Amino acid sequence: MDQSKNLRQLLYNDELNFLMEAHNGISARIVSESQFDGIWASGLTISAAHGVRDNNELSWTQVLNQVEFMADSSDLPILLDGDTGFGNFNNMRRLVTKLEQRGVAGVCIEDKEFPKTNSFIQSEKQPLADPHEFAGKIAAGKDAQQSAEFCVVARIEAFIAGWGLEEALKRANLYADAGADAILVHSKKSRPEDVLSFAENWQRDLPLVIVPTTYYSTPVEFYRKAGISLVIWANHNLRASIRAMQEVTADIYNEKTPVKAEDDIVPVKEIFRLQQAEELLTAEERYLPEQNSGYRALFLAATRGEELETLTTDRPKTMIEVGGKPLLHKLQEQFKKFKITDQITVRGYKKQQIKASGMQFIDTEDYEGAGELVSLAAAREFLKGPMVISYGDIIFRQYILNNLLLEEGDIVLVVDAAFRETKPRDDYRDLVKASRSYSLNYTEEPVKLCRMDPTMPVEEADGEWIGLMKSSARGTREIVRILEELQKNSQEFRKLRFKQLINRLVEAGNDVSILYITGHWVDVDDLEDLSRAQDF
Ligand code: SPV
Ligand code: MG
């Protein structure tokens, strides 16, 4: 899109239009999501965002770089504050060429000397440029542009430097003669008298631009009546963000936690949205070969969950909706995020009700009163290579799966060390004793499982297994070996639960590692759990 043409229209149409300040890619995107007509890439705020002064401390290529990011992230025309053109007529030519190449719609230069000082700092001491030299710079810029639409705005600093209307008009006429596309008349007064008197006495058709930073309280109707074309709100986004950063920094320091501050800041998701992270995900699907983590997932979902009463008369609990989605679909999506796309679910109770696209299924008829190992044995053929095995009725925060996948070890169980708070009841829980209790002290030494025993006194337990584990190819082979051994040797194999398998693995000399978490998961066993899950 030709942004220069858009900027030109803002200058030349009969309406009063507005530019909003931005100083980097993200602020440019924010302005571009608003109803504003265009963007002012302010020299003051671009400098300040870099932590330097508005005295040409940034090099012109650094400014160019910044405005390129702004152009990339916005679909509005950008008028760059080009200070004094970063040198003489020759520097101005090169500036215009580069700005056009980077999709910047126009540039405004001011008739002061390089290096400039911001107009609000000791303004009366600031020397103005020789008007003829400056007019030559404008002419050189206009001659350098490739497209007819690119806009060069000449900014008059006569009022700023303590000169009067006459000097301002004389200079503006010279710059208009040199080919400027518009005149920006700047003032430091708290009322608009400079700019209004200028507008009244301006005889040419060339549009006028103003920057009401100090006379901001003037109703914009005055500008419309005076025939002004463009108003620039020159620094407000940076000023707003400075206040916000000061407040949040102080607040988090004082509170020693961001808990309070979180309510007043955007969620991280909002950053992703502004960065258009979604687009990259779609593009990845399109351009990258389908990726697979190497893990396969097995979900155990054969039981009904009768404690959930009428909710499970017509479907198994894995299909109960939490936050608008069946538990199994939530698990499925979560695993997909980690490129675990090879997924299988063991179904039993009301198996026809379990549907999930892209999911494979294995059915077992033996689920009523059976332990989990029957389901595991049903999935025997699938138990190959690196695996993640999960109960079909749990939900957990994403980081838990992430950390599990990163954890070393042939067999790793996720164990909740905060289990006493998580579920203060005494139904069946896979309590575990470990080589070491959960502690905040960092140590390289891995935590090993000693035994899993739901009957151990709660005070003795180091945590509760949440029903989520992973195994390496070697670990999976061991699981299969023990599973088959139990199948062969146990009289009541169908009653066996995970604890028997896990304890046998340990007894057989396998290291079963533990990844401690502290909450952030729910298993949906009864109605109380379900309401906790809905809040989750
Ligand atoms: C800027 O925003 O950098 C300007 C306007 O040039 S002023 O700060 O008022 O000089
Ligand atoms: Mg400036």
Side-chain angles (χ1 to χ4, degrees), residues 92-389:
M92 175 65 177
R93 293 197 297 194
R94 196 156 162 75
L95 176 66
V96 168
T97 304
K98 289 288 144 193
L99 290 176
E100 272 196 296
Q101 288 171 358
R102 315 246 166 147
V104 177
V107 65
C108 171
I109 57 168
E110 62 201 62
D111 57 353
K112 292 202 301 236
E113 285 181 359
F114 180 91
K116 51 77 56 99
T117 299
N118 184 272
S119 300
F120 301 133
I121 297 176
Q122 295 196 322
S123 57
E124 306 219 345
K125 290 198 179 146
Q126 297 190 17
L128 292 184
D130 174 282
H132 295 284
E133 188 265 344
F134 190 78
K137 212 187 268 189
I138 295 282
K142 288 305 294 174
D143 287 344
Q145 72 189 54
Q146 295 291 308
S147 109
E149 312 286 354
F150 186 84
C151 303
V152 174
V153 178
R155 164 165 157 183
I156 312 291
E157 289 283 284
F159 289 121
I160 295 287
W163 300 78
L165 177 64
E166 202 182 328
E167 180 69 18
L169 286 167
K170 187 188 93 191
R171 286 172 169 264
N173 275 302
L174 265 176
Y175 309 156
D177 293 341
D181 297 296
I183 299 294
L184 188 158
V185 54
H186 204 12
S187 165
K188 61 188 177 193
K189 299 238 171 83
S190 57
R191 291 169 184 279
E193 63 245 33
D194 285 345
V195 299
L196 292 182
S197 69
F198 185 94
E200 206 179 311
N201 289 282
W202 181 239
Q203 305 294 333
R204 318 269 295 244
D205 316 330
L206 225 51
L208 296 182
V209 183
I210 58 170
V211 186
T213 298
T214 47
Y215 51 97
Y216 65 88
S217 61
T218 313
V220 298
E221 218 28 63
F222 281 85
Y223 310 142
R224 195 169 276 122
K225 281 216 188 90
I228 307 277
S229 295
L230 200 57
V231 168
I232 295 175
W233 306 122
N235 43 46
H236 303 78
N237 268 322
L238 184 79
R239 286 162 63 194
S241 63
I242 288 175
R243 167 68 60 80
M245 289 190 276
Q246 287 168 333
E247 284 181 1
V248 80
T249 299
D251 193 73
I252 295 177
Y253 179 78
N254 293 334
E255 301 284 326
K256 308 279 179 283
T257 162
V259 168
K260 183 160 158 272
E262 278 286 340
D263 290 355
D264 300 322
I265 59 182
V266 297
V268 174
K269 259 193 196 156
E270 176 61 1
I271 308 179
F272 298 153
R273 191 190 66 79
L274 286 164
Q275 291 171 309
Q276 299 177 340
E278 192 82 6
E279 190 279 333
L280 180 56
L281 296 182
T282 321
E284 278 174 356
E285 269 174 29
R286 185 150 169 201
Y287 299 118
L288 288 178
E290 202 174 313
Q291 285 185 12
N292 196 306
S293 65
Y295 281 92
R296 319 167 92 194
L298 170 65
F299 302 113
L300 302 176
T303 55
R304 168 180 168 183
E306 43 276 289
E307 294 85 350
L308 287 158
E309 299 164 18
T310 52
L311 283 174
T312 57
T313 39
D314 61 348
R315 61 192 150 163
K317 65 178 164 181
T318 197
M319 290 307 283
I320 284 184
E321 292 193 357
V322 169
K325 247 184 219 151
L327 288 167
L328 186 64
H329 293 186
K330 280 183 166 299
L331 284 167
Q332 192 178 21
E333 277 174 21
Q334 209 165 22
F335 277 63
K336 272 192 194 157
K337 283 192 189 147
F338 293 94
K339 315 270 184 241
I340 304 178
T341 48
D342 196 359
Q343 305 183 353
I344 194 163
T345 297
V346 181
R347 302 184 293 194
Y349 176 75
K350 300 275 177 205
K351 58 175 180 279
Q352 309 305 348
Q353 300 308 317
I354 302 194
K355 294 186 183 95
S357 76
M359 177 75 77
Q360 305 170 60
F361 296 105
I362 292 182
D363 298 335
T364 171
E365 296 309 321
D366 188 12
Y367 52 83
E368 190 91 53
E372 296 94 12
L373 296 197
V374 172
S375 291
L376 205 58
R380 163 72 192 83
E381 288 306 305
F382 190 78
L383 297 176
K384 270 195 287 273
M387 302 274 319
V388 180
I389 301 176

Side-chain angles (χ1 to χ4, degrees), residues 378-482:
R380 163 72 192 83
E381 288 306 305
F382 190 78
L383 297 176
K384 270 195 287 273
M387 302 274 319
V388 180
I389 301 176
S390 171
Y391 284 164
D393 63 350
I394 55 174
I395 52 175
F396 43 82
R397 294 273 173 233
Q398 197 151 297
Y399 79 88
I400 293 177
L401 183 53
N402 182 57
N403 291 0
L404 177 63
L405 294 172
L406 293 174
E407 195 71 14
E408 282 180 23
D410 282 326
I411 299 171
V412 186
L413 306 183
V414 178
V415 168
D416 182 10
F419 68 110
R420 294 184 184 86
E421 292 110 80
T422 322
K423 199 175 177 184
R425 298 197 320 270
D426 53 9
D427 43 6
Y428 186 95
R429 308 164 79 177
D430 291 309
L431 299 180
V432 306
K433 185 76 204 143
S435 60
R436 180 158 63 71
S437 307
Y438 171 74
S439 127
L440 287 173
N441 297 335
Y442 178 76
T443 145
E444 293 264 348
E445 188 200 323
V447 192
K448 302 286 173 211
L449 177 86
C450 301
R451 70 196 152 90
M452 184 180 281
D453 180 4
T455 64
M456 81 172 73
V458 172
E459 313 75 60
E460 246 176 60
D462 290 309
E464 174 184 2
W465 179 48
I466 74 166
L468 181 66
M469 64 183 286
K470 78 154 185 184
S471 51
S472 66
R474 199 187 149 272
T476 307
R477 274 199 301 279
E478 276 300 285
I479 290 172
V480 170
R481 190 175 70 78
I482 300 289

